[in-house]
Amino acid sequence: MCDTTAYLPDELIAARGIDRISLYVSIGGEQRREMEIGDYSTFFERLRASEEGATTSQPSVGDFIAIYSPLLEAGREVVSIHLSAGISGTYESALAARQQLVDDGSGGERIHVVDSRTGCGGMGILTLAAAAAAERGEGAEEIVSMLTPAREQLRMWFAIDTLEYLRRGGRIGAARAWLGSALQIKPILTLEEEITPVERVRTRRRVFERLVKYSEELKEAGRDAWVVQHIQDPENAQRLVERCREVMGTDPLFVSEIGPVIGAHTGPGLLGVGGLPSEYLR
């Protein structure tokens, strides 16, 4: 299982038998589970118009127990993969739920909680790698062991229009050093436990070309299982898919839109690409 911030397409979730737990987002005094927000456009319109912005929160221990308990009662092992502990308390909530189920004698020792040390497409790729291993018949401990080298091989890059949303939400990490000179730039970032700056460019056109260049780096390094994600920018996402397909010679694992929980902290206009060697997904 994973949490909603992987933004895996529903059809992949269903096909691979992956369970999800939802984070929460609040805007204008209204809190909702991310999984219940069907229309992202309305949320981002409200975000643009809001002076206070939006806030987010992790699932509660009770939320986790409600999902873990039926799986344990069915005799299952659980590999539970979550948003980087460097930017979210989701991993800690999962650990607390596991411990409570251990203490209750409910089989919590069969839950294996994994800090993905990434999010969004990166976490989605790792979750698909775990699902592929499960389909091969590997046990939970083998899957967790596989995820460590897989995470070391993962590379993800994303560009945003402004650092302002990250600054407001306190998730800016090492990119804080760019704040003073960021008014006329388009930051390219990655998530290595926390938000980490990679490069500064000055135009959206240049952002696009740099992301294509990163896809060439993925190809050269053998990271040939790739994804594209965006926020409220489907046209450029499709353009990026087409260019990356030319580079990679394969279709993406998935293309999806990042939702309100991460979007609350990055703002609309995000475009990203990343990949992992396909050997982890066979």
Side-chain angles (χ1 to χ4, degrees), residues 32-264:
R32 296 181 66 186
R33 292 175 188 261
E34 182 173 47
M35 199 179 290
E36 297 170 353
I37 300 174
D39 183 3
Y40 291 171
S41 296
T42 299
F43 170 82
F44 285 110
E45 287 173 9
R46 293 180 67 188
L47 182 66
R48 287 187 184 98
S50 172
E51 293 184 2
E52 296 80 21
T55 60
T56 59
S57 55
Q58 70 262 26
S60 69
V61 172
D63 290 341
F64 273 104
I65 289 174
I67 292 180
Y68 288 156
S69 292
L71 297 171
L72 296 176
E73 289 167 6
R76 307 287 293 276
E77 287 187 299
V78 180
V79 177
S80 193
I81 304 167
H82 298 293
L83 181 61
S84 173
I87 62 170
S88 171
T90 303
Y91 172 73
E92 294 296 333
S93 282
L95 286 178
R98 177 190 185 277
Q99 188 59 51
Q100 186 168 321
L101 290 164
V102 169
D103 294 343
D104 291 347
S106 301
E109 64 278 358
R110 286 185 273 122
I111 300 169
H112 302 259
V113 183
V114 178
D115 176 4
S116 73
R117 297 184 290 123
T118 186
C120 302
M123 185 169 68
I125 296 173
L126 294 177
T127 302
L128 293 178
E135 289 170 6
R136 294 194 300 267
E138 295 184 16
E141 290 185 2
E142 293 173 294
I143 293 171
V144 172
S145 294
M146 174 275 296
L147 287 172
T148 298
R151 176 61 187 85
E152 296 306 316
Q153 286 291 318
L154 179 72
R155 295 292 182 274
M156 297 294 302
W157 298 275
F158 62 94
I160 57 177
D161 279 340
T162 174
L163 290 170
E164 178 60 22
Y165 291 96
L166 285 173
R167 184 196 65 77
R168 282 189 200 173
R171 302 308 203 277
I172 196 164
R176 181 174 300 278
W178 283 357
L179 278 176
S181 60
L183 293 178
Q184 301 300 320
I185 67 163
K186 305 298 181 188
I188 298 178
L189 310 164
T190 190
L191 178 53
E192 297 290 344
E193 301 192 27
E194 66 173 14
I195 302 294
T196 304
V198 176
E199 185 177 357
R200 293 178 287 188
V201 297
R202 293 197 174 275
T203 66
R204 289 285 288 177
R205 183 189 64 79
R206 183 62 174 158
V207 161
F208 186 88
E209 293 304 322
R210 289 303 298 155
L211 291 174
V212 172
K213 183 67 174 176
Y214 288 135
S215 76
E216 294 172 358
E217 293 182 18
L218 292 173
K219 174 69 171 178
E220 291 167 4
R223 298 182 174 99
D224 53 335
W226 58 283
V227 303
V228 166
Q229 288 187 308
H230 71 96
I231 298 179
Q232 298 285 283
D233 197 359
E235 295 83 6
N236 278 320
Q238 185 55 41
R239 286 178 58 224
L240 186 58
V241 168
E242 291 167 3
R243 288 287 300 277
C244 291
R245 187 183 284 120
E246 293 173 5
V247 171
M248 305 295 282
T250 58
D251 289 331
L253 287 172
F254 62 89
V255 180
S256 69
E257 183 171 17
I258 289 170
V261 166
I262 297 300

